[in-house]
Amino acid sequence: SPYFKKQVIIDWIELGIEQLNQIQHSDGSFDEWYVNERGWAGPTGYIMNACLDCYELVGDAISQTSKEKLEKVIDSGVDFLKCSDEGHMISNHVAIVYLPLVQALNLMDRNDLGPRIRELKEILLDTLNEEEGWSLEYDGADPGYQSGTLSFLAKSLKYYDNPEIRHICERSLDFTSYFAFPSGNVGGAVGSRHTVTFFCAGIEALRDTPLGARLSRFMEEGIQKGKQVLSSDLDDHYLVYRLYEFLDAHSFWISRNKGEELKLPYELGLDQGFEKTFDSANIFIKATEKYYASMALNKGGALRVECPASGRVLIADSGILAKQGAKTYSSLSCAKTQWRVQDGSIDVEGELIDVSSKVFSPAKFILFRLFMLCFGFNHKVANRLKKAIKSALIFHSGRGDSYKRIIQFNKDSIEVTSKLYATKHYTNVHFGGEFWTRYVPQSRHFLEEHLNQSAPYHVEKNVNGEVVAYKEVGW
């Protein structure tokens, strides 16, 4: 590497430490999105992980002054992580915090962190769905962020190989494997947060296991095919996070022995077809020689179907979008639905949810910043406000009209019938296509498949009454 042992790199690292020292709040926290945010896992947990990696790798190469400043930043930051939380359950955020606390305990002899580490471990165990292998992400299971939980916890095993944490990693690996699709793409609308990325460092950290070895090759081939979201695909904000993840993945990739490979679920379907319902996650998987299908039962039957032999995307159907004035309604929202899996078909019934985007007007944004400048110094105030903002952006409660979707799985075709029972006037109704309704930056990336899969298969205008849309895909 041209960067190895270059003095200019050390100079840049020391400048980074100086900047961190200047922008860190007195309580040890940092801001990510707005003034006085005082974020817990993001960004403080992320930053502490990076600082502790820096301390471990080049702590003896930087100047004594910079090292002391770095130690000060770390001590203050881990104290903040130790004594605070977010107030709502996002498993990957708990894992993000767990990692630097384990690092600090081992690298800096912060034995006072032991009780907090054990507390976070118990939270991670409590929120793990043991039978199905996923952890709670707001209101459901999400394959992409599950790989994030796997990534942060697998990195911690380098410092303390806790058998219970390793068990969470292995269960996470199993769950995410069902969403590694034949095309090389991952996740998507079937997850609670729509993510289309896998965090790859955890997969590489477990590449000495049979499933980890196969997923490692899957990720490598996906990158070569252009199917994976890379750091260069992101804006400045997320570029840093994802670049760091790829660097970690590479360090495991070159240092871990690759084990014997286990087949991925879609490959098992080629040998002998199977059906699997994640009852708690409300996700249905059907694998045959002809197709590999995944379906979100509590998100209006959002459906993805691919050909396991060729990797061709056959269906990417996120459900229903309906426009009424300034409001947008959709079936693609985690909600209570009624669904029935029967021989050869699945019926899903529910109500559309108001998923209209919520943005500040200039006046509200000015008032918001003034409020944060005046009162955001208090972590509890900042935490409650952040929780309220997330609830407004991510969760939706407004109800619309009823719908029903029927997916018929035949030997040589799949039929999708969608019905909307409109009692009010909609200016536009779209059926099918790939779209997103939940505000999650990790989901909104361009992939080549969107050129062919983003368009709806049926569009109606000026709708008032029952509408039926039908799509059939064969091979």
Side-chain angles (χ1 to χ4, degrees), residues 9-276:
I9 299 296
I10 295 298
D11 295 340
W12 290 347
I13 289 171
E14 291 182 349
L15 286 169
I17 293 169
E18 179 62 34
Q19 174 70 358
L20 280 176
N21 187 55
Q22 291 179 20
I23 66 174
Q24 187 176 32
H25 289 299
S26 59
D27 63 0
S29 65
F30 292 89
D31 299 333
E32 182 176 17
W33 295 102
Y34 52 84
V35 64
N36 278 338
E37 179 189 0
R38 301 175 188 271
W40 189 55
T44 307
Y46 259 115
I47 292 172
M48 287 305 101
N49 171 216
C51 286
L52 283 152
D53 280 349
C54 177
Y55 183 82
E56 179 180 12
L57 294 170
V58 296
D60 293 333
I62 58 179
S63 68
Q64 185 61 31
T65 300
S66 292
K67 186 174 183 179
E68 290 173 358
K69 286 183 180 179
L70 179 60
E71 290 171 343
K72 174 179 172 291
V73 168
I74 292 173
D75 279 332
S76 183
V78 296
D79 282 342
F80 173 77
L81 298 178
K82 170 188 172 183
C83 300
S84 59
D85 56 41
E86 285 183 316
H88 49 249
M89 190 58 223
I90 313 176
S91 294
N92 83 87
H93 285 200
V94 179
I96 289 171
V97 172
Y98 178 87
L99 170 59
L101 294 186
V102 170
Q103 286 181 291
L105 185 147
N106 285 271
L107 297 175
M108 303 186 70
D109 297 324
R110 285 291 304 268
N111 294 320
D112 60 300
L113 301 175
R116 180 59 165 160
I117 290 170
R118 289 190 290 272
E119 180 184 1
L120 294 180
K121 182 197 71 175
E122 292 303 319
I123 292 173
L124 289 163
L125 289 170
D126 288 344
T127 57
L128 172 71
N129 186 297
E130 174 62 37
E131 183 177 351
E132 297 179 2
W134 57 274
S135 305
L136 191 62
E137 290 293 331
Y138 284 120
D139 50 0
D142 184 84
Y145 274 113
Q146 191 63 45
S147 71
T149 297
L150 162 65
S151 180
F152 304 119
L153 295 183
K155 293 176 194 177
S156 76
L157 298 176
K158 170 185 173 182
Y159 305 94
Y160 174 39
D161 196 347
N162 183 289
E164 293 171 304
I165 294 298
R166 179 171 285 277
H167 175 71
I168 295 175
C169 293
E170 291 170 350
R171 296 298 297 123
S172 299
L173 202 65
D174 181 68
F175 177 75
T176 55
S177 70
Y178 284 90
F179 308 95
F181 298 123
S183 63
N185 292 319
V186 300
V190 293
S192 67
R193 301 182 70 184
H194 303 193
T195 48
V196 292
T197 56
F198 274 178
F199 290 70
C200 45
I203 292 170
E204 300 301 344
L206 295 179
R207 72 195 305 261
D208 55 350
T209 68
L211 188 53
R214 179 62 187 95
L215 278 170
S216 172
R217 181 161 64 86
F218 171 85
M219 294 296 297
E220 186 177 354
E221 291 171 349
I223 290 171
Q224 292 171 349
K225 294 176 184 176
K227 302 297 184 180
Q228 300 291 324
V229 176
L230 303 177
S231 308
S232 53
D233 298 323
L234 312 182
D235 62 8
D236 291 353
H237 185 105
Y238 275 90
L239 182 149
V240 178
Y241 289 116
R242 298 299 291 165
L243 179 60
Y244 201 82
E245 175 73 14
F246 276 108
L247 290 171
D248 277 340
H250 179 69
S251 69
F252 287 117
W253 187 81
I254 62 174
S255 63
R256 295 293 171 91
N257 294 324
K258 187 176 181 181
E260 295 292 327
E261 291 189 3
L262 192 69
K263 288 185 177 181
L264 291 173
Y266 81 80
E267 295 171 314
L268 294 174
L270 284 167
D271 298 334
Q272 50 184 29
F274 69 88
E275 289 185 4
K276 182 178 180 65

Side-chain angles (χ1 to χ4, degrees), residues 410-440:
N410 303 319
K411 182 179 180 182
D412 295 314
S413 68
I414 294 177
E415 302 170 48
V416 181
T417 304
S418 301
K419 298 180 181 181
L420 174 62
Y421 307 103
T423 62
K424 57 189 79 175
H425 179 263
Y426 296 104
T427 53
N428 284 279
V429 178
H430 289 194
F431 294 88
E434 196 163 23
F435 56 83
W436 304 266
T437 60
R438 175 160 278 188
Y439 185 81
V440 181

